[in-house]
Each structure stands twice: as C-alpha cells, then as structure tokens.
Amino acid sequence: MHAYAPGRGRSSWLTVAAAFCGLVTVACGAGSGSGSGATPESSTSHTTVEPAYMAAYNAGWRAGRRIFDDGGKGAAVREVVWGGCVRRSLTARPHDVVDQDRGAWVLGCRQGVGTGSDRHPPAGQVTRREPDPDLLRRFRSWAAAHGEQQPARYADQVVLIHLGERDYDVEVTGTYTDENAKAEARRLADAFTTWWDGDDGDGRAWNLIVTDSAEHRLSTRALS
C-alpha cells in the first residue's frame, strides 16, 4: 500500500495543464492572430489588367457576333470580303478601347461574324504604324502636275496603318491652323483618293484618314 504524498498529485496535474495550454497556444498562433504575421487567403485580392490588344479583340468579337445574329451568313461576306469590319472600326465604340489596337478589333470582328464559333485571339499588338515618306513625295509630285498643289501643300506626313497581314489604312497628317481645317482636309482627301485610285501596292488599302497634327480625325474616305 502506497502512502499518500501531499502535493505530488497536485504537481502532476499542473504539469499536464501547462502542457495542454502550450499546445492550445501554438495551435491558435498558427491562425490569423494580430501578431501571427499571416494574411487570410480570403482577404487577398488579385487584380488582372486585360492587355489593350485583348480588350480591343474582345470588343470586336462581340460586335461581330451581334452582326452575325442580325445578318446571318451573308454578313460574313460583307464584313470580311468587302471590308465591313475595317470600315466599322473607325467608328466602333468604346473609342478608347478600339483605338488602342484597331487591328485586333478588326480581327475579333471578322472571327465573331464567321459561321464558326472558334476564337483565335492575337498573341500581342496587331496594329502597326509605318511612316512612308516616299508615298508622300510621290503624291506631292502628282499634285504639282495636276493642279492640286493647294490641298497637297498641307500634307505633312503619310503613315500606313497595318491592321493585319495585308489590310491597311492610309493616314495623312495635315498642318492645319485655322477654322477651315475640316474643309481643307476634305479637299486634301479628294486629291489623295483621286491619285490613289488603283495604286494599292502590296496588300489592300481600305480607308484614307486625314488628321491634324494632334491626330484628330478631320476626314475619312474609302480607298477600296
């Protein structure tokens, strides 16, 4: 028979209790306490910014699907073969999205209006701007020989706006400084389209865009 030793049972009980409290403290510390330094997963947010070319492509795709829903298979011919999507891109909205990459918008529009539903978005920027000083020189030479020196004298730069592998627009920048800018831009557009007739070169030119030095559109004209 063992003699009862005062304090031994009480000491053992305290030891067990202390160990238990230590485990509880460790377990609680692994959570989202004020001093744990951990951030709850639910409070972490990830904001994904859509690239400009994808935003333009998606906007074009949605426009193309609406056109197909309204016009059926015949719409595909108008928008793809006859340049409908390219023409629409000049006035498509929202402008701040489309103008970031008009070529991507055209690509999305053409795929959206197709009879299939496959999406083939671009891997990067589609639109490419290429200054063409030789084109400007040849236009000025023609204008001088055909009595169009007055409107042609405002032409300061010619840029080819490539909207894909073969489609492009021609942009002419005019140096306009007065309130008659739009009227002068129309005269320049008349002269340039007369000269351009049949002079497409490589690829297919769809539109002529006349802008001022700040790139504000003053006149547009069909080239094809």
Side-chain angles (χ1 to χ4, degrees):
M1 181 177 183
H2 298 283
Y4 174 75
R8 178 182 295 177
R10 183 170 180 271
S11 175
S12 300
W13 182 87
L14 290 174
T15 300
V16 173
F20 177 76
C21 287
L23 291 173
V24 171
T25 301
V26 171
C28 293
S32 57
S34 60
S36 66
T39 302
E41 185 178 350
S42 60
S43 66
T44 303
S45 61
H46 299 281
T47 303
T48 301
V49 179
E50 189 176 40
Y53 66 86
M54 277 304 301
Y57 171 84
N58 287 331
W61 167 269
R62 290 190 295 270
R65 293 315 296 171
R66 288 194 297 270
I67 295 169
F68 178 76
D69 290 342
D70 292 339
K73 293 182 179 180
V77 176
R78 293 192 303 272
E79 304 304 317
V80 177
V81 178
W82 298 110
C85 283
V86 180
R87 313 275 195 217
R88 292 174 188 275
S89 71
L90 293 174
T91 56
R93 297 186 178 184
H95 299 307
D96 58 337
V97 172
V98 180
D99 288 345
Q100 289 293 319
D101 192 343
R102 205 153 52 84
W105 191 94
V106 171
L107 177 65
C109 176
R110 285 178 167 175
Q111 290 182 7
V113 82
T115 55
S117 59
D118 291 341
R119 286 165 52 93
H120 301 285
Q125 182 82 10
V126 176
T127 306
R128 179 172 57 87
R129 297 173 62 87
E130 177 189 11
D132 195 330
D134 184 62
L135 204 59
L136 176 60
R137 179 193 60 77
R138 290 193 286 126
F139 168 60
R140 285 174 171 170
S141 177
W142 173 88
H146 290 80
E148 297 289 356
Q149 297 97 322
Q150 178 66 19
R153 71 186 179 92
Y154 289 104
D156 184 58
Q157 179 179 239
V158 173
V159 174
L160 303 184
I161 305 175
H162 297 279
L163 303 173
E165 294 183 1
R166 292 187 56 81
D167 300 313
Y168 66 97
D169 285 344
V170 181
E171 179 182 273
V172 179
T173 302
T175 53
Y176 304 106
T177 57
D178 55 30
E179 65 277 5
N180 295 323
K182 288 191 175 182
E184 294 294 345
R186 287 193 293 269
R187 290 185 61 191
L188 174 56
D190 289 340
F192 195 94
T193 52
T194 300
W195 168 71
W196 187 266
D197 187 28
D199 188 20
D200 285 348
D202 294 334
R204 180 77 176 268
W206 292 102
N207 302 298
L208 169 67
I209 305 168
V210 180
T211 72
D212 60 17
S213 57
E215 297 186 357
H216 298 130
R217 292 176 194 164
L218 299 176
S219 180
T220 60
R221 212 55 72 80
L223 289 175
S224 295

